[in-house]
């Protein structure tokens, strides 16, 4: 007697999730875990200086030269003030030492 195997189709594709649906999920429930926070380049409208600000900053960020408020904290992401220019910084990999190159340092410990 031969066994019959049925192929069942799922309602969703687990290997290729919809990016819109994936963004709605909690950061730990995504297929590839990723944080919701990021860094911003914020430009002061008064003196045109650029500052690096964390997206979930918990303090008021002011310009050092003209004392203009750039962003205010909320419960989650900080709120930028009107007229402030910004751009989201891209993630950059940090170059680390090759594990082979510092093995001789461990021997002296």
């Amino acid at each position: 007697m031969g066994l019959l195997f049925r192929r069942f189709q799922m309602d969703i594709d687990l290997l290729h999730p919809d990016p819109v649906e994936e963004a709605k999920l909690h950061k730990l429930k995504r297929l590839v875990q990723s944080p919701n926070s990021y860094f911003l380049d914020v430009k002061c409208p008064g003196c045109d200086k650029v500052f690096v600000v964390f997206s979930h900053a918990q303090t008021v960020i002011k310009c050092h030269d003209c004392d203009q408020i750039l962003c205010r904290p909320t419960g989650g992401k900080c709120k930028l003030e009107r007229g402030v220019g910004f751009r989201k910084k891209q993630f950059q990999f940090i170059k680390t030492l090759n594990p082979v190159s510092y093995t001789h340092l461990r021997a002296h410990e």
Side-chain angles (χ1 to χ4, degrees), residues 1-77:
M1 280 195 213
L3 295 174
L4 295 176
F5 291 102
R6 289 187 180 175
R7 287 187 77 134
F8 293 102
Q9 280 204 325
M10 296 185 69
D11 295 334
I12 57 172
D13 186 7
L14 294 176
L15 291 177
H16 307 286
D18 184 28
V20 175
E21 294 297 321
E22 192 78 5
K24 293 179 186 177
L25 292 175
H26 187 268
K27 62 183 179 180
L28 297 177
K29 302 282 184 182
R30 295 182 187 139
L31 186 62
V32 177
Q33 295 179 2
S34 61
N36 295 330
S37 57
Y38 47 89
F39 288 93
L40 299 165
D41 281 334
V42 177
K43 188 174 183 180
C44 176
C47 61
D48 291 335
K49 279 199 163 188
V50 177
F51 297 93
V52 177
V53 176
F54 187 58
S55 65
H56 290 68
Q58 297 180 353
T59 59
V60 174
I61 308 295
K62 290 185 177 181
C63 179
H64 300 296
D65 292 341
C66 59
D67 278 347
Q68 184 170 357
I69 295 176
L70 301 176
C71 65
R72 296 179 187 272
T74 62
K77 292 184 181 179

